[in-house]
Amino acid sequence: MRALIALIALAPAAAYAAGDASAGQAIFTAKCHMCHSNKPGENKIGPSLAGVVGRPSASVPGFNYSPAMQSAHKTWTEAELNTYLTNPKGVVPGTKMTFAGLPSETDRANVIAYLATLK
């Protein structure tokens, strides 16, 4: 039983690890890059996403976050990013992010795999 519980607990992480970072880069370029940079310290309309995996929300220096994001108190784990990228405004009501979300689980896994490569 413990092995089954451990396997279930690891399943979401395995899904992101199985994502295709190259495909995620293409999705990032098409859907995210106009507002978010993939370079450290380079903010655009949205904060830089370099190093986002594992980072606390609203923590990029020099970026003016919405009050909603400032009070969200999230850590951008792969699982949290998956939830957020499904419906940003549903997860953090009042966020400045206007993107409606990525409905495809595969697209989200690929984008998260790509984001994990950005250090």
Side-chain angles (χ1 to χ4, degrees), residues 51-74:
V52 69
V53 177
R55 180 170 74 205
S57 60
S59 65
V60 172
F63 187 77
N64 184 25
Y65 289 95
S66 67
M69 189 58 78
Q70 290 176 19
S71 64
H73 304 294
K74 298 192 174 295

Side-chain angles (χ1 to χ4, degrees), residues 11 20-21 31 36-37 41 43-44 56 72 74 79 81 91 110 112 118:
D20 180 339
K31 297 185 181 265
H36 294 280
S37 173
N43 296 325
K44 293 183 171 183
K74 298 192 174 295
L81 284 166
V91 173
N110 292 342
I112 293 165
L118 304 177

Side-chain angles (χ1 to χ4, degrees), residues 2-77:
R2 288 183 197 198
L4 179 59
I5 291 170
L7 183 60
I8 291 169
L10 291 175
Y16 310 116
D20 180 339
S22 294
Q25 183 177 16
I27 296 164
F28 179 89
T29 300
K31 297 185 181 265
C32 311
H33 191 62
M34 65 283 293
C35 295
H36 294 280
S37 173
N38 57 3
K39 297 180 176 94
E42 183 180 285
N43 296 325
K44 293 183 171 183
I45 294 169
S48 169
L49 295 181
V52 69
V53 177
R55 180 170 74 205
S57 60
S59 65
V60 172
F63 187 77
N64 184 25
Y65 289 95
S66 67
M69 189 58 78
Q70 290 176 19
S71 64
H73 304 294
K74 298 192 174 295
T75 298
W76 295 125
T77 62

